[in-house]
Amino acid sequence: MNSARRLLQTQYFRCLAAAPNYRASVQHVVFAHPPRRTSLSQLQWPRSFHGSPGCSQNRPVTTAVGQGGEKKEKSLVTYDELFEQVARDAKSKATFNRVVDIFSKRDVRRRGHVEFIYAALKKMPEFGVERDIAVYNKLLDVFPKEVLVARNFIQRMFNHYPRQQECGVQVLEQMENYGIMPNVETKVLLVQIFGDKSHPVRKYQRLMYWFPKFKHANPFPVPRDLPQDPVDLARLSLGRIANDLDSTTTVYQMPSTDLSETGEEISLPHIVGTQSPDQRSLLAKHNPSRPVFVEGPLPLWLRGTCVYYYVLRADPPPPEEKVEEPCDPELFGPGQSIFYPLVVDLALDRDLGDDYSFDVDDVEEGVVYAMCMTGQGDQATLGRWISGLQETNPILGQIPTLFRLESGPRELQGASETPRGPDIEAEPRTMEHEPFPEEEHQHSQGMKQ
Amino acid sequence: YSGLFLTPRQLHFSISPWLFRDLNLSECVFPYPEIGNEELEEINQLVAPVEKFFAEDVDSKLIDHEATIPSETLKGLKELGLFGIQIPEEYGGLGLSNTMYARLGEIFCLDGSIAVTLAAHQAIGLKGILMLGTEEQKTKYLPRLATGEHIAAFCLTEPGSGSDAASIQTRATLTEDGKHYLLNGSKFWISNGGLAEIMTVFARTEVVDKDGQKKDKITAFIVERAFGGVTSGKPEDKLGIRGSNTCEVTFEDTKVPVENVIGEVGGGFKVAMNILNSGRFSMGSASAGIIKTLIGLAAEYAGTRKQFNRRLSEFGMIQDKFALMAQNAFVMESMAYLTAGMMDRPGLPDCSVEAAMVKVFSSEGLWICVSEALQVLGGLGYTKNFPYERYLRDSRILLIFEGTNEILRMYIALTGMQYAGRILTGKIKEMKKGNVGVVFELLGKKLRDSVVKTVDLGLTGNNGVVHPSLTESAKKFEENVVFFGSTVENLLYRYGKTIVDEQLVLKRVADVLINLYAMTAVLSRASRSISIGLRNHDHEVLLANNFCSEAYFKNNYLMTQLQKNSPENNDANIKKIAMDILEKRAYICSHPLDRTF
């Protein structure tokens, strides 16, 4: 609210700046910001300093160019140290702010603020403030106000204070990369520092054009902070894959550690599964002479995290089994209503021009009956999942269940670790089931005991 | 001629099933059915005491408030014989025809609760016995049902099966001696469920079909409460028709003798269909009866109430409401008595589609008309001091029960489509056989359709059946019929048998059919009225002409929507909107006050 008022005042100041009694207006503005500038002389000093922009403006640029990156490097190092010194015990938002405060108070001219800001931008992720709009604003506040504003069309035409503008753009760029939306205070600061129509303000405008447009572009947003508990994480992931409002997620086994009689530690991994009523009824119709497969692990990425899940699925039914029950209007059977005919007996088919049923995405595939996530993807654990499923799907007792597991990471894997694809090498455990249809049955029976 | 199938001279028709059926128009709907003088006298003698009873002895407000019909009122109804209107006199009923039943319906509909109780009893509850029962069943049950000593109920709906009767779970198993069925299951929303002594119950039975395989089919049973194991739940608390008894009925090992099967074992599907289809026609006259009463009440108010120094009746917007009500009542009456008359005619095929059309038209019309009548009174109409709010609540049920209007629209449209489709496929088969004549006939018809937009169905002209003062309307009707014929033909070419899944298309087809049937009904009725010089027949002509021109525009719009790629048709958008919402099962728009920054 306060910043909005300031923005208005700045605009007011711009109007007056065009007027001849320029200095008086400056004073007026200055009195409006007592906390920022304590005395009139302080403000007027840099103004007069900029009376000859030709020399003063070019000097830092030429030195930077002339002495190469060395000096810049050096200055960056010094500011790095400043951060390290202050934040010796803890790296937090408070210490980061303190560093910025220290820099701002050290020198009224803010000498080296560009280097400081670059250094600070680099340090932000370390301090965990890279997503904090207030910190960005504080960082922008390091720039001296009004001295960098172009005051005539010629200045505006040429790149006025290019290093500073570039630095300002860089701050916004980092905000953009972290998906931080600038706020009104940012705008006020940028206008105060660089003036409107400067590069940073343009950048700000572009951000404000695109960011809101893209804010809800993803219909399935992943929460920024994933739950730490593996059970909760599994619930979330399964909910994302099985985007069915009817499906129920069941925790078949909570993670726990037990001491066995021999004193060994047995840790039970979590097993979380999901199944929808549709999947249940499809499974109930499954031909028990055909096996179902437990397959996995399959990867699912949630932002920087990769989790793995397993599916219970069947092969697509052979064409000879897909016989639709003929509808007899006289008979009472499924698909008939007392009120109106559900099937019209006509020899006419749909006209080609009105047949939109063709879809390149329509691929014949086997049905997925259930999915699960577990802390440990071995056969014994997944067998427990299947036996848990059997409680709601009694037919699983008659269907041979076959495990087609591939080796692969079975635990959560951070983005920093090198992602190992689950299918890099086929483990010997992967079963060759095709040639031995008889053995499948025995195997599965063995499994379930 | 018309549309696909008819030769010009024959007055054959392609629209509505009686239309779709090869029936002769002039026999079927022209002239408007009449009853004989003796019958008229008889019905008038019956009507007078019933009217008196409803005016003096029925306290609808009390029934609505107490949610029960007082036993004295029920007794009065029984004494008037209203529980056995259609039961033949030999079984102790009044033995009245469908037309007379419709006439009485106009009166007993004045109390929704009583109307539903009576309808559940005799329009569906005992219809099974009456229509399809054996002589023994009739003699055993009908006399006591006719006097109202026993009340009947119709038990079809179940928790898991409303309109989809296929998912009936109630099961009847034959006992080992083969003499009884054991009935198990529960039925929901049974009108008269708490009062009924005799129930028509539908249940699954195991039937061995011709291949020797065992299959489940439904069978209809007559179940007496006295058989034991029948319990009824607490009456439902409803929005309207509060005095009628609606509750759950549970059967637990109820022993039903084999001779209590209605029709054949496994033939329950047809029994249910026949009963439901025959029970709907009376809703038209009932709705008209309510509207006529409300017109009287509201007109009284509009004539006396003054605003801005003018009577309400002088305001255009109020007049509009009365015109709407009168027109609706007129059309409903015409349709209802035309249908009832056709049903009473011996040897004609069943009029179930017509009855469904009457039900859809009158239930929707009544809902609007009651609402408009209430609106005339403004805030007063909203209070319980006036009967409007009760009629509004009561009339809402008509859109729902005995087949929801959505389902009936499907029935109306599909029955017609099926018939038209069969003729069309027959022609195509002929063509495939190399019958050049059929090819030329079809081509010629296409050509004619594209040039000539009207057709002479023989309604007008020298030998026309429609009175000359209705010529314009008849011409509009004929034009619609032609357009409809070609529309149906195109739809069949486009969708073939997958038309079943095009509900938005079928809805429009049904609406056009209903309008066309209504147009025929009013044309026929008004023609008769002028010809025999009934009182105020000029008013009827006005109403008929007005309705026909309205319906003509509506039909044209609907049929334009049915054309391919028509800009009037928003079906794709409608489907997409609905899918977006239903996927999330919520309204998904952001709040207008939401911000992104």
Side-chain angles (χ1 to χ4, degrees):
Chain A
M1 208 169 67
N2 199 15
S3 48
R5 201 179 304 138
R6 251 183 250 156
L7 181 65
L8 275 175
Q9 281 168 350
T10 323
Q11 280 164 350
Y12 176 58
F13 161 71
R14 300 256 141 255
C15 301
L16 287 176
N21 55 346
Y22 165 70
R23 212 145 265 248
S25 71
V26 171
Q27 284 165 19
H28 174 81
V29 173
V30 167
F31 288 127
H33 307 285
R36 206 167 289 273
R37 293 275 179 273
T38 43
S39 77
L40 189 58
S41 59
Q42 267 182 345
L43 173 87
Q44 279 180 342
W45 184 79
R47 283 252 161 263
S48 54
F49 176 68
H50 271 283
S52 58
C55 61
S56 65
Q57 188 188 337
N58 284 344
R59 197 175 295 149
V61 180
T62 46
T63 47
V65 173
Q67 295 171 353
E70 210 180 285
K71 189 184 173 186
K72 208 175 167 183
E73 206 63 49
K74 211 172 164 186
S75 63
L76 267 182
V77 168
T78 53
Y79 292 121
D80 269 354
E81 276 165 9
L82 182 63
F83 276 101
E84 295 301 327
Q85 276 167 18
V86 175
R88 203 170 293 142
D89 346 303
K91 287 182 173 175
S92 67
K93 185 178 171 183
T95 48
F96 191 89
N97 282 344
R98 210 179 319 136
V99 180
V100 180
D101 283 338
I102 288 170
F103 176 81
S104 304
K105 284 184 187 136
R106 200 158 66 180
D107 181 4
V108 81
R109 293 173 194 81
R110 308 273 166 89
R111 180 169 289 149
H113 63 264
V114 172
E115 287 79 5
F116 174 75
I117 289 169
Y118 276 128
L121 283 179
K122 264 194 179 167
K123 284 283 172 193
M124 281 176 93
E126 242 174 81
F127 283 73
V129 291
E130 76 276 13
R131 296 184 195 285
D132 195 332
I133 177 67
V135 174
Y136 283 102
N137 285 341
K138 197 169 174 64
L139 212 52
L140 282 176
D141 207 10
V142 171
F143 281 109
K145 308 294 164 321
E146 285 156 19
V147 290
L148 307 175
V149 177
R151 269 179 291 165
N152 53 49
F153 73 96
I154 297 175
Q155 285 180 346
R156 207 167 289 134
M157 219 157 62
F158 294 99
N159 212 357
H160 196 51
Y161 283 109
R163 276 193 68 215
Q164 280 77 355
Q165 289 209 37
E166 202 172 287
C167 181
V169 169
Q170 205 56 47
V171 175
L172 290 169
E173 190 116 306
Q174 183 158 335
M175 289 170 78
E176 181 185 358
N177 290 342
Y178 283 110
I180 307 301
M181 175 112 64
N183 59 15
V184 183
E185 205 178 328
T186 320
K187 184 180 180 184
V188 173
L189 282 165
L190 288 172
V191 171
Q192 277 187 330
I193 297 162
F194 300 105
D196 50 8
K197 294 184 177 149
S198 61
H199 290 297
V201 171
R202 295 283 196 211
K203 174 79 188 171
Y204 165 85
Q205 285 165 342
R206 280 194 288 274
L207 279 186
M208 292 308 281
Y209 179 78
W210 287 111
F211 261 30
K213 284 203 190 328
F214 287 141
K215 196 172 180 187
H216 297 294
N218 184 0
F220 306 104
V222 186
R224 171 145 344 260
D225 300 311
L226 292 172
Q228 291 301 311
D229 182 23
V231 176
D232 288 344
L233 185 64
R235 272 179 195 281
L236 176 89
S237 324
L238 289 172
R240 278 179 71 77
I241 310 170
N243 186 25
D244 183 344
L245 294 170
D246 289 329
S247 64
T248 45
T249 309
T250 320
V251 180
Y252 293 100
Q253 184 172 294
M254 287 298 277
S256 59
T257 41
D258 267 348
L259 275 181
S260 71
E261 289 165 14
T262 52
E264 274 177 84
E265 219 175 64
I266 305 167
S267 65
L268 293 171
H270 65 276
I271 307 173
V272 183
T274 182
Q275 197 181 32
S276 69
D278 287 349
Q279 285 175 318
R280 211 167 293 146
S281 60
L282 280 172
L283 182 54
K285 281 185 211 143
H286 184 88
N287 181 359
S289 62
R290 302 192 163 274
V292 289
F293 307 103
V294 177
E295 284 185 358
L298 303 156
L300 170 74
W301 284 93
L302 300 163
R303 289 191 186 272
T305 316
C306 187
V307 290
Y308 292 93
Y309 64 96
Y310 299 83
V311 296
L312 177 71
R313 57 165 285 258
D315 280 334
E320 67 266 16
E321 274 185 28
K322 280 188 285 188
V323 187
E324 275 184 32
E325 283 176 30
C327 243
D328 183 351
E330 295 294 311
L331 280 182
F332 177 79
Q336 284 297 314
S337 163
I338 279 184
F339 293 95
Y340 66 95
L342 294 181
V343 178
V344 175
D345 179 28
L346 284 183
L348 287 167
D349 275 325
R350 208 179 175 88
D351 187 49
L352 278 180
D354 284 289
D355 192 357
Y356 304 111
S357 61
F358 177 75
D359 186 358
V360 280
D361 291 338
D362 248 356
V363 184
E364 277 278 297
E365 255 190 302
V367 194
V368 173
Y369 293 126
M371 278 182 292
C372 90
M373 279 188 161
T374 169
Q376 203 179 318
D378 56 26
Q379 214 161 305
T381 315
L382 291 169
R384 274 199 291 282
W385 169 49
I386 298 298
S387 54
L389 270 178
Q390 210 170 313
E391 282 174 22
T392 45
N393 304 279
I395 193 169
L396 272 177
Q398 304 155 34
I399 306 175
T401 311
L402 212 60
F403 289 83
R404 287 204 291 211
L405 303 178
E406 288 170 14
S407 80
R410 270 169 236 113
E411 282 171 25
L412 298 186
Q413 186 181 290
S416 50
E417 294 171 49
T418 45
R420 271 188 297 151
D423 49 353
I424 283 175
E425 45 185 324
E427 284 278 288
R429 193 139 43 86
T430 310
M431 261 179 298
E432 292 181 18
H433 49 88
E434 301 294 351
F436 311 111
E438 293 90 0
E439 278 178 27
E440 290 169 4
H441 200 75
Q442 293 165 359
H443 168 77
S444 66
Q445 281 176 335
M447 252 318 301
K448 275 177 206 129
Q449 282 155 10
Chain B
Y1 177 101
S2 112
L4 310 169
F5 337 95
L6 311 170
T7 49
R9 280 290 126 214
Q10 273 178 325
L11 290 186
H12 279 178
F13 242 26
S14 73
I15 37 166
S16 139
W18 54 266
L19 313 166
F20 276 125
R21 279 178 227 130
D22 281 326
L23 292 180
N24 201 315
L25 184 63
S26 54
E27 262 174 28
C28 209
V29 266
F30 291 99
Y32 198 74
E34 285 181 327
I35 53 173
N37 275 329
E38 308 84 56
E39 271 183 299
L40 186 63
E41 226 159 82
E42 187 190 344
I43 191 78
N44 283 340
Q45 275 170 7
L46 263 169
V47 162
V50 177
E51 250 172 358
K52 184 164 168 281
F53 177 76
F54 271 82
E56 289 169 8
D57 297 338
V58 175
D59 187 350
S60 295
K61 203 177 161 186
L62 185 80
I63 293 176
D64 183 58
H65 185 256
E66 303 284 325
T68 174
I69 303 172
S71 50
E72 309 88 68
T73 312
L74 279 179
K75 202 170 150 242
L77 291 170
K78 286 170 190 170
E79 278 165 7
L80 285 167
L82 292 182
F83 276 82
I85 298 175
Q86 290 196 283
I87 296 175
E89 282 168 53
E90 61 205 269
Y91 300 114
L94 297 179
L96 297 187
S97 62
N98 290 314
T99 310
M100 314 249 261
Y101 179 81
R103 176 71 187 97
L104 283 176
E106 263 182 60
I107 303 157
F108 64 66
C109 70
L110 292 180
D111 185 280
S113 306
I114 292 177
V116 169
T117 305
L118 289 178
H121 169 74
Q122 55 196 332
I124 49 177
L126 60 79
K127 261 287 171 56
I129 308 173
L130 191 63
M131 281 172 21
L132 302 150
T134 59
E135 198 51 47
E136 294 81 55
Q137 286 170 348
K138 284 183 181 173
T139 37
K140 186 173 176 197
Y141 291 110
L142 287 183
R144 273 183 288 177
L145 287 167
T147 56
E149 186 186 340
H150 284 171
I151 292 178
F154 183 76
C155 305
L156 175 67
T157 314
E158 287 191 13
S161 77
S163 298
D164 167 26
S167 39
I168 283 178
Q169 294 300 322
T170 301
R171 183 167 280 284
T173 37
L174 203 60
T175 50
E176 278 177 20
D177 57 6
K179 285 182 182 162
H180 289 89
Y181 279 98
L182 284 182
L183 200 61
N184 277 295
S186 64
K187 299 284 186 180
F188 259 41
W189 294 309
I190 305 305
S191 298
N192 293 350
L195 314 170
E197 273 304 319
I198 313 290
M199 284 164 268
T200 309
V201 183
F202 294 85
R204 270 176 191 272
T205 43
E206 209 167 64
V207 176
V208 181
D209 69 1
K210 51 185 183 288
D211 310 335
Q213 278 182 322
K214 281 181 178 176
K215 263 192 174 172
D216 271 356
K217 288 196 185 186
I218 47 171
T219 305
F221 298 94
I222 307 167
V223 180
E224 295 176 39
R225 195 178 284 269
F227 288 160
V230 184
T231 45
S232 29
K234 210 173 127 258
E236 304 283 346
D237 195 9
K238 305 184 289 292
L239 172 75
I241 52 165
R242 293 173 51 80
S244 71
N245 176 294
T246 309
C247 64
E248 184 187 346
V249 179
T250 313
F251 302 95
E252 213 182 311
D253 283 336
T254 305
K255 245 182 162 183
V256 186
V258 183
E259 55 269 21
N260 270 24
V261 170
I262 304 179
E264 290 168 30
V265 175
F269 189 77
K270 275 194 160 173
V271 175
M273 239 162 54
N274 283 334
I275 295 175
L276 286 169
N277 285 341
S278 69
R280 294 185 188 114
F281 73 96
S282 65
M283 269 188 225
S285 63
S287 305
I290 295 176
I291 298 175
K292 286 193 275 186
T293 313
L294 290 185
I295 288 178
L297 289 171
E300 180 69 32
Y301 180 83
T304 49
R305 164 93 167 166
K306 279 194 171 181
Q307 290 280 292
F308 314 111
N309 248 341
R310 290 162 77 189
R311 290 177 203 287
L312 276 193
S313 53
E314 292 172 46
F315 292 106
M317 289 198 205
I318 301 293
Q319 291 167 351
D320 181 33
K321 296 183 200 307
F322 283 99
L324 177 93
M325 287 190 277
Q327 185 178 300
N328 262 305
F330 175 71
V331 179
M332 281 172 205
E333 256 179 4
S334 314
M335 286 170 88
Y337 285 102
L338 174 64
T339 312
M342 278 158 59
M343 286 168 78
D344 284 334
R345 207 167 291 174
L348 271 178
D350 79 309
C351 299
S352 52
V353 180
E354 287 80 354
M357 293 197 275
V358 172
K359 192 251 175 184
V360 173
F361 184 90
S362 54
S363 58
E364 283 169 13
L366 178 65
W367 174 242
I368 293 167
C369 287
V370 176
S371 170
E372 290 288 19
L374 188 151
Q375 187 74 17
V376 172
L377 274 82
L380 280 181
Y382 198 66
T383 62
K384 292 223 174 199
N385 302 333
F386 289 87
Y388 301 94
E389 60 87 30
R390 176 167 56 78
Y391 280 119
L392 190 75
R393 286 186 284 116
D394 287 353
S395 65
R396 190 63 184 79
I397 191 62
L398 292 183
L399 302 162
I400 299 168
F401 72 3
E402 297 210 23
T404 63
N405 282 9
E406 286 73 19
I407 286 224
L408 290 181
R409 281 204 163 87
M410 292 289 285
Y411 175 61
I412 295 164
L414 281 176
T415 315
M417 281 290 186
Q418 224 162 354
Y419 181 79
R422 261 182 234 131
I423 294 177
L424 190 64
T425 43
K427 296 224 164 172
I428 290 173
K429 264 184 205 152
E430 286 284 302
M431 244 157 69
K432 280 185 182 156
K433 276 184 201 155
N435 189 337
V436 190
V438 179
V439 180
F440 279 116
E441 191 190 323
L442 280 177
L443 278 177
K445 200 180 68 57
K446 278 247 165 203
L447 202 68
R448 218 167 36 229
D449 278 354
S450 58
V451 182
V452 189
K453 295 288 181 198
T454 54
V455 69
D456 183 15
L457 295 176
L459 294 178
T460 54
N462 277 342
N463 294 318
V465 282
V466 169
H467 191 269
S469 56
L470 295 159
T471 307
E472 278 302 303
S473 300
K475 288 245 184 286
K476 282 173 183 162
F477 170 70
E478 286 173 343
E479 197 186 318
N480 270 341
V481 170
V482 180
F483 193 5
F484 184 65
S486 61
T487 307
V488 167
E489 191 181 334
N490 283 334
L491 287 176
L492 283 168
Y493 279 130
R494 280 182 68 188
Y495 297 113
K497 59 187 169 199
T498 61
I499 188 83
V500 189
D501 302 321
E502 301 291 331
Q503 293 209 342
L504 293 176
V505 169
L506 290 175
K507 180 182 171 236
R508 294 198 187 96
V509 172
D511 282 343
V512 176
L513 274 170
I514 293 168
N515 282 337
L516 288 176
Y517 185 54
M519 281 164 105
T520 10
V522 295
L523 284 175
S524 168
R525 174 179 170 190
S527 296
R528 168 179 177 266
S529 300
I530 313 166
S531 306
I532 64 170
L534 283 182
R535 192 195 297 272
N536 291 336
H537 63 251
D538 52 338
H539 187 66
E540 287 186 33
V541 174
L542 198 58
L543 286 173
N545 279 330
N546 193 46
F547 173 76
C548 284
S549 62
E550 264 184 41
Y552 170 73
F553 284 118
K554 279 186 202 158
N555 281 344
N556 277 339
Y557 183 65
L558 287 167
M559 289 189 283
T560 314
Q561 284 188 314
L562 283 175
Q563 283 172 346
K564 200 175 179 180
N565 300 330
S566 78
E568 288 87 352
N569 187 328
N570 273 332
D571 288 0
N573 290 347
I574 290 168
K575 277 186 186 163
K576 181 114 177 44
I577 292 168
M579 283 316 292
D580 283 350
I581 289 165
L582 294 173
E583 205 177 311
K584 294 279 187 302
R585 298 185 189 169
Y587 174 72
I588 56 171
C589 293
S590 299
H591 194 275
L593 300 179
D594 277 353
R595 308 177 48 124
T596 47
F597 62 90

